Amino acid sequence: MKSFAASLILLAVMLGGMAWNAVYINRVADRLNAMLDAMPDSGDADSAQAAAAVREYWESNAPYVGLSVGYTVTDRVSEQTAVLAACAACGDFYGYRSALALLRDAIGDMRRLEQFSIENLL
């Protein structure tokens, strides 16, 4: 009976950890999307600072996100934040817009992989 109770406790802890992880990943994705929504145009003087802030926020959370999200998605987000910051710094309008679009796509992939769904369980 003790082993059954211990198994139930471990199951509850595991399910709680999974739920916490999904909430954390979705919060990071929400924050990144909010930062991208507030990004100024490429020619704006504040665009380089805003892009650097996005990159800094991602770099502070990337090690934790990388624990559960696959390397390829985590790496894509890292690459696109770097491209966004570089394009904002040099004033490349088309590269800036492309990096924004690709970064949003990568964030969507990161979020999709952490949803509670039968597809992710299998």
Side-chain angles (χ1 to χ4, degrees):
M1 190 66 174
K2 290 180 185 180
S3 64
F4 180 71
S7 296
L8 286 179
I9 290 170
L10 287 174
L11 177 65
V13 168
M14 185 177 71
L15 291 176
M18 289 171 56
W20 177 83
N21 180 57
V23 168
Y24 174 74
I25 299 298
N26 283 312
R27 277 191 190 159
V28 169
D30 287 341
R31 176 74 175 125
L32 283 170
N33 280 325
M35 292 174 86
L36 293 180
D37 289 341
M39 291 288 288
D41 287 333
S42 174
D44 195 331
D46 295 331
S47 65
Q49 289 178 340
V54 169
R55 179 143 177 81
E56 182 179 318
Y57 177 74
W58 171 250
E59 290 297 322
S60 68
N61 287 287
Y64 306 113
V65 171
L67 292 174
S68 66
V69 176
Y71 173 76
T72 55
V73 175
T74 305
D75 190 49
R76 275 182 49 217
V77 175
S78 295
E79 289 171 353
Q80 293 307 318
T81 57
V83 171
L84 180 67
C87 290
C90 72
D92 179 7
F93 177 77
Y94 297 106
Y96 181 81
R97 288 293 176 190
S98 295
L100 273 173
L102 291 171
L103 182 53
R104 285 185 191 278
D105 181 59
I107 292 168
D109 290 343
M110 181 177 71
R111 180 188 300 271
R112 181 184 50 81
L113 294 172
E114 293 300 320
Q115 291 178 344
F116 284 113
S117 68
I118 193 70
E119 175 184 297
N120 287 339
L121 293 175
L122 299 177

